[in-house]
Amino acid sequence: MWRWISGLMLFWCGYSAAVCPVWSQAKAEKEIATLSAQIKRWDDAYWKQGSGEVSDDVYDQLNARLTQWQRCFGGEPSGEKQPALIGRVKHPVAHTGVHKVASKVELSQWMRARRNLWMQPKVDGVAVTLVYRDGKLAQAISRGDGLKGEDWTARVRLIPSVPQKVSGTLANSVLQGELFWLRENHVQQQMGGMNARAKVAGALMRQKESTVLSQIGIFIWAWPDGPKDMLAALSALSNVGFSLTARYTFPAASVEAVEKQRSVWQTTALPFATDGIVVRSGEEPEGERWLPGEGSWVVAWKYTPVAQLAGVKDIQFAVGRTGRVSVVAVLDPVLLDDKRVQRVSLGSVGHWQQLDIAPGDQVLVSLAGQGIPRLDQVVWRGVDRQKPQPPTSQYHSLSCFYASPECMEQFFARLTWIGSKQGLDIDGIGESGWRALWDAHHFEHIFSWLRLTQAQLQATPGFSSTRGLALWHQFNLVRQKPFIRWVVAMGVPLTKTTLNAVGAMSWHAMNQRSAADWQALPGTGKEKARQIVNWLNSPQVDVLSKWLAEEHINGF
């Protein structure tokens, strides 16, 4: 028992260390206060003016991030979005809210302890209470804080999809449901939430416009003190006009069935936006016992957002083989489609400066084609924004053929390119291998490794004798590569189209060509032709070409 408790404590300590920013208390208070103020402004715009200034996904994730910071630094966690406008009208039955499970495992544990389970889509809209008395709609109340809300009766009476008269067991009833933006063939995975909540809230807040209310639907997800039999309840709701509830409520026989249905609702056409699946027990307590935050008979398993919010930990610069400096944001780890993402490319220095990203900012990242992380947008910029200085403009297509302290990054990028399939296709060596070779032998330039002996390679730390021997054979075989492969390995600024048009040629023949000769080839414009001539005639390249000639490399 004690070992289990100790392990759990270590887990939570490690988890907290992973998600809590390394800030001083003063900095934390400043960041929390600033983000709190921004979220309050968004809340005011959302609930008082009916406008959504940010998408629902961005708002939800930033609000969760604020709550996380508050817990990390001993603050008071903020509430959810809807209680921002509490109101003064008391709900006949409180809104409990829905606990969110984080995984299939957690859902399975919850389901094992309950019976008579049903699943429904988690419709993305605005929660409401509908009160019917003597068969007529008497009240419509916003969720508010779960106990009290705003009186929306006048506006809801103008919504065609909400039945104004009911009969039978519903004549005197309290219903809880979701007012949502009606969509035609909405595929959540492809279209996202489309600010559905904000549109509904806006329509309900505006006093003058009524035509947009015809675009609002209603999904009833709870009938407190209604029939104990779920099928009877669904039939009664359908008979008076709440047909969507029966259409989208299914038995939840197993966690696998829930997982499958969750995927179906995320990927197929629906009349509303959704953000997950809800599983509820048909065995509910009496309505008088319902309290905010205490709905133990219902949980939600939300979809994993396509784009995840990530904090920027650091900005790093990488120099490529051509001297181009690229910028990478190092992120707090996030999970995207089962892939752990910690870095995202920000492109060139100029693009990074245009994006205005610094450590401490919050960004949305998603996966592009082939699972490559990409930056979608900057959603929050921190208060204390200190950006690192990018490398100077000393790097270019003719720099760092030789190893030097300031050149190592471009030098190894050149070596990695030389060993790649696009270069000389040297089997069995990548960047780490080149670094190990240079650390051991400190060769001078990008081709000096050709003179490493079999004994040197076999004695390289980190290389086995067998690997060293295999590499020595590779280095000997590479001497027989065609001339044009060596020119490509050197980094000549020729396009693939131009290379194909050049055909068989020697170094001397290449040097004899004028800019006009190069420009006459396909894929080469005036500026590219000038670059080629300047590159071929540069002193650095001339020295390398003579060295390769001494090594009897083809064409030199």
Side-chain angles (χ1 to χ4, degrees), residues 121 137 278 356 375 383 416 544 546:
L137 179 63
V278 171
D356 186 24
L375 174 80
V383 177
T416 303
L544 283 179
K546 289 175 179 176

Side-chain angles (χ1 to χ4, degrees), residues 204 237 529:
L204 291 167
L237 287 168

Side-chain angles (χ1 to χ4, degrees), residues 231-263:
L231 293 178
L234 295 176
S235 176
L237 287 168
S238 293
N239 289 339
V240 299
F242 296 110
S243 58
L244 288 176
T245 307
R247 184 176 168 190
Y248 293 102
T249 300
F250 304 128
S254 66
V255 71
E256 286 75 20
V258 175
E259 182 181 40
K260 181 179 179 180
Q261 191 60 51
R262 176 177 179 260
S263 177

